[in-house]
């Protein structure tokens, strides 16, 4: 099976747009910034730029072109992330020791692979094999994921520097703080019944979004807005971090071990609360969606509020008919906003701003099958001890997200733009 030249040209445009965005995001960094790895969970920006390039080289050029000569054979070890079936790889926690290759060499590597992939696409004069199209599409979706990780990793790295450097300057055009844009939080009642979730139809989806299947939902309610900083501050001031009755056992153990008192990046000063952002440290805006909270914190806040987190099926069912609009990486705010931007729906900020924790463990859908070969490791092997998040964030591309998209992290992770939307039962 093959695709026509029009589809190939569309893919060429998509390839050039997404690959150039990675370099645009990295262009705001100094070379010294690109090597830092402040904790094992984050990766240096240089590694992200090289790894996403390796993905195209390893899974397309080396697999589909027997005469292809690797740019540097040692990169197969340095920039493989976790694909055990391919071979050994440099330890994740030691990516920050790689002063070489230099940034110049990484950019030369990117240019080389870009040229090879574009040549591959353009040389299919009439028909492009569907298998090649699918691999390039996965590679581009993979790169968009790493664009978000690059931003969240830079934010964490910079937060560990006493100088609290800025990734970029704040833009007044992205400061959506007008009080007229705010609206009262309400609870939206959703009918239950036998519903369908999961991806179907045309367009890209990951294997973990398929197949579409039926689930039973009791009637429920879901908040019109994500939880704000001000609402979460009430939890803090009420002693939420000192009251074990709100917390799961593992969550309470983590609070005590890590000495959590507030979300990641918050700091209390004599004149109030501050938060670190990609544009530097700012006074905490109480009306912005709270972010950088773990699942444990989201769940504890929900219990304290007399509510709960939605299941991922409830979240998807409530949001499935909403347009994909909101505060994404294309806005270049790199931070959750107060304003609702475009939405006329009673449910606000379903997409963008902050990923929303659900109460659902990350498991496979009924009759789901991972991809064949090494790419079968992409999602399926992580389906243990992870919690699903939905909706995308201010660091996600608008062209990457969809209502069926399943993000996932361990319950204690906080360095992503992760937030909270409450749900409740209807009697």
């Amino acid at each position: 099976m093959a695709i026509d030249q029009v589809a190939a040209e569309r893919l060429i445009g998509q390839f050039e747009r997404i690959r150039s965005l990675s370099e645009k995001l990295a262009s705001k960094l100094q070379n010294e910034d690109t090597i830092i790895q402040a904790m094992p969970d984050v990766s240096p920006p240089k590694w992200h730029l090289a790894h996403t390039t390796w993905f195209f080289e390893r899974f397309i050029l080396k697999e589909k072109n027997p005469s292809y000569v690797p740019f540097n054979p040692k990169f197969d070890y340095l920039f493989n992330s976790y694909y055990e079936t391919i071979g050994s790889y440099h330890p994740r926690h030691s990516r920050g020791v790689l002063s070489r290759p230099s940034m110049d060499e990484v950019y030369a590597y990117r240019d080389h692979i870009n040229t090879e992939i574009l040549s591959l696409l353009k040389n299919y004069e009439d028909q492009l094999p569907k298998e090649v199209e699918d691999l390039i599409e996965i590679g581009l979706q993979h790169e968009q994921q790493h664009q978000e990780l690059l931003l969240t990793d830079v934010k964490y790295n910079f937060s560990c520097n006493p100088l609290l450097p800025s990734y970029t300057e704040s833009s007044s055009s992205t400061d959506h703080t007008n009080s007229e844009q705010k609206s009262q939080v309400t609870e939206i009642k959703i009918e239950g019944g036998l519903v369908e979730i999961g991806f179907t139809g045309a367009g890209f989806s990951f294997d973990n979004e398929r197949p579409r299947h039926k689930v039973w939902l009791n009637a429920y309610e879901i908040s019109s807005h994500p939880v704000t900083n001000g609402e979460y501050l009430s939890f803090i001031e009420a002693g939420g971090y000192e009251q074990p009755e709100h917390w799961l056992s593992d969550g309470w153990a983590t609070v005590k071990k890590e000495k959590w008192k507030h979300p990641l990046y918050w700091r209390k000063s004599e004149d109030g609360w501050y938060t670190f952002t990609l544009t530097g440290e700012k006074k905490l805006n109480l009306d912005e969606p709270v972010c950088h909270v773990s699942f444990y914190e989201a769940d504890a806040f929900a219990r304290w509020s007399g509510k709960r987190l939605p299941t991922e099926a409830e979240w998807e069912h409530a949001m499935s008919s909403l347009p994909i609009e909101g505060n994404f990486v294309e806005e270049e705010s790199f931070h959750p906003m107060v304003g609702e931007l475009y939405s006329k729906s009673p449910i606000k900020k379903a997409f963008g701003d902050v990923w929303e924790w659900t109460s659902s463990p990350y498991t496979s859908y009924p009759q789901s099958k991972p991809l064949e070969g090494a790419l079968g490791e992409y999602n399926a092997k992580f389906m243990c001890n992870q919690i699903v998040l939905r909706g995308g964030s201010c660091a996600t591309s608008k062209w990457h997200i969809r209502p069926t998209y399943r993000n996932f992290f361990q319950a204690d992770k906080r360095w992503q733009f992760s937030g909270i939307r409450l749900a409740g039962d209807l009697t």
Side-chain angles (χ1 to χ4, degrees), residues 7-18:
E9 290 175 359
R10 175 196 59 78
L11 196 58
I12 289 170
Q14 188 180 2
F15 181 87
E16 292 175 332
R17 173 174 58 82
I18 291 173

Side-chain angles (χ1 to χ4, degrees), residues 65 124 164 173 374 418:
N65 183 1
Y124 284 102
L164 296 179
S173 64
S418 49

Side-chain angles (χ1 to χ4, degrees), residues 188-198 212-222 310-322 345 347 350-351 358 365 390 402-405:
I188 310 300
K189 293 178 172 54
I190 308 292
E191 292 184 5
L194 191 62
V195 305
E196 291 189 351
I197 66 167
R212 191 165 178 85
H213 59 284
K214 292 179 172 62
V215 296
W216 177 266
L217 298 178
N218 293 322
Y220 62 100
E221 61 183 18
I222 194 165
T311 67
E312 67 167 323
E314 288 173 335
W315 193 100
E316 183 176 325
H317 179 57
M319 313 303 186
S320 60
S321 63
L322 301 182
S345 165
I347 300 179
F351 302 103
T358 73
Y365 285 163
R390 294 297 194 107
R402 50 198 165 268
T404 60
Y405 193 105

Side-chain angles (χ1 to χ4, degrees), residues 100-111:
R100 301 297 175 93
S102 68
M103 278 298 292
D104 286 344
E105 190 172 0
V106 167
Y107 279 124
Y109 181 38
R110 289 181 65 87
D111 289 343

Side-chain angles (χ1 to χ4, degrees), residues 65 83 111 143 211 237 242 274 279 318 330 376 379 388 399 418:
N65 183 1
Y83 294 95
D111 289 343
E143 180 130 0
E237 293 175 341
E242 287 78 45
Y274 287 78
T279 59
E330 287 81 8
N379 285 308
V388 174
W399 312 109
S418 49

